[in-house]
């Protein structure tokens, strides 16, 4: 693969949807930055799987809530390959608290969740902007959630952070054009270990069965479904910006 290959950064790409997105982009010939905070082993496995597709990779440990890490990640990619084309803001964080448990969340919980889910995507978008503008055009894709559109999700703090991310998508789309398009994908239930660990096996299985029974498409999302949606914005959609796309099998429509 030549240095002229397009370059993508996928935050939080060691596991789950992030790993699937990185693999899908590698399959399209993108050189890929695999970003992680703690999951080194899984990040190395994702990096190896991307490299096996014949592209170059860069493994980067960094926390998107830290502005210095965001700038360092963008700079490392640009210095290695001389360009930046795609940023997928996938890194996310939550605390599983029933919405009725108003005392289950503190101000610190809100700050902690917002720092990754809302501030992190802003900082990453700001960090890549000069490089994307120099390249000539770019695509930023936020991985948000139906939590931000329907007010449901793992906690009220998570819901609020994703609602803010959706609004920020529109604001950034207005200000980062014409070179950079900014769009958001809102998954519903994704079959990953993140939800399994958060809800516990019994609640996870019951919730999944209910969704499969009730949603129009009779299925829940796989990580690859989110990756497919990302490719719609990176491989096409050249006149689409500021869009919020729900990918949930029809879950948002109700039973």
């Amino acid at each position: 693969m030549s240095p002229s290959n397009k370059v993508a950064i996928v935050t939080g790409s060691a596991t789950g949807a992030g790993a699937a997105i990185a693999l899908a982009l590698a399959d399209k010939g993108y050189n890929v930055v695999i970003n992680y905070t703690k999951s080194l082993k899984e990040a190395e496995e994702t990096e190896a799987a991307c490299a096996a597709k014949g592209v170059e990779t860069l493994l980067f440990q960094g926390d998107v809530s830290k502005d210095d890490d965001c700038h360092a990640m963008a700079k490392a990619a640009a210095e290695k390959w001389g360009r930046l084309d795609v940023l997928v803001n996938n890194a996310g964080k939550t605390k599983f608290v029933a919405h009725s448990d108003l005392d289950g969340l503190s101000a610190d919980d809100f700050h902690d969740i917002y720092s990754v889910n809302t501030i992190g995507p802003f900082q990453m978008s700001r960090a890549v902007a000069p490089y994307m503008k120099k390249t000539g055009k770019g695509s930023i894709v936020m991985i948000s959630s139906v939590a931000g559109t329907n007010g449901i999700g793992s906690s009220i703090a998570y819901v609020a952070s994703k609602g803010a991310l959706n609004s920020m998508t529109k604001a950034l789309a207005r200000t980062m054009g014409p070179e950079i398009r900014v769009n958001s994908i809102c998954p519903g239930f994704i079959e990953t270990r993140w939800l399994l660990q958060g809800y516990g096996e019994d609640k996870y299985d019951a919730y999944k069965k209910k969704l499969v029974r009730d949603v129009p498409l009779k299925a829940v999302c796989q990580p690859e479904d989110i990756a497919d949606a990302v490719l719609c914005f990176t491989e096409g959609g050249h006149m689409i910006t500021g869009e919020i796309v729900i990918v949930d099998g029809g879950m948002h429509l109700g039973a």
Side-chain angles (χ1 to χ4, degrees):
M1 289 293 178
S2 72
S4 63
N5 281 1
K6 289 184 178 181
V7 174
I9 296 174
V10 184
T11 67
S13 45
T15 62
I21 292 164
L23 285 164
L25 289 166
D27 200 43
K28 292 293 183 180
Y30 284 78
N31 295 333
V32 186
V33 176
I34 309 298
N35 162 245
Y36 72 102
T37 51
K38 299 176 182 177
S39 304
L40 174 59
K41 181 177 181 294
E42 291 91 340
E44 289 175 336
E45 291 170 353
T46 300
E47 182 188 29
C50 289
K53 295 182 179 293
V55 301
E56 295 181 3
T57 61
L58 175 64
L59 194 63
F60 192 95
Q61 183 179 23
D63 183 343
V64 299
S65 71
K66 298 177 181 177
D67 197 32
D68 287 347
D69 285 7
C70 295
H71 282 286
M73 195 183 326
K75 182 179 180 182
E79 287 183 345
K80 182 175 177 66
W81 292 303
R83 63 185 297 161
L84 262 179
D85 302 271
V86 169
L87 166 65
V88 183
N89 281 310
N90 172 75
K93 190 170 192 177
T94 194
K95 181 178 181 180
F96 287 80
V97 178
H99 288 204
S100 58
D101 182 9
L102 299 182
D103 293 323
L105 289 170
S106 66
D108 286 343
D109 292 326
F110 271 84
H111 286 302
D112 196 31
I113 291 168
Y114 262 76
S115 71
V116 175
N117 294 0
T118 311
I119 298 171
F122 172 77
Q123 291 178 160
M124 280 302 307
S125 299
R126 178 173 59 188
V128 303
Y131 303 107
M132 285 189 173
K133 287 179 181 288
K134 185 177 179 181
T135 298
K137 57 183 176 180
S139 175
I140 296 175
V141 183
M142 311 293 191
I143 304 301
S144 183
S145 171
V146 292
T149 61
N150 286 23
I152 59 174
S154 51
S155 69
I156 290 177
Y158 182 79
V159 165
S161 73
K162 293 301 188 177
L165 180 60
N166 289 344
S167 294
M168 187 172 72
T169 295
K170 295 180 181 292
L172 289 177
R174 290 190 184 99
T175 60
M176 299 185 82
E179 300 92 346
I180 303 171
R181 296 179 296 113
V182 187
N183 294 287
S184 181
I185 293 168
C186 295
F189 185 107
I190 309 176
E191 196 167 4
T192 63
R193 74 178 189 185
W194 193 64
L195 282 180
L196 177 60
Q197 292 173 346
Y199 283 126
E201 188 172 352
D202 290 344
K203 187 174 180 180
Y204 174 92
D205 287 342
Y207 189 23
K208 179 184 170 183
K209 287 177 182 177
K210 182 180 185 303
L211 288 173
V212 170
R213 183 190 71 221
D214 292 341
V215 302
L217 297 188
K218 306 300 181 188
V220 297
C221 287
Q222 302 301 312
E224 292 76 18
D225 296 318
I226 310 309
D228 285 345
V230 169
L231 291 181
C232 291
F233 287 127
T234 59
E235 296 301 287
H238 301 302
M239 284 297 291
I240 301 174
T241 195
E243 190 62 44
I244 311 296
V245 175
I246 297 174
V247 182
D248 69 351
M251 172 182 166
H252 66 284
L253 299 173

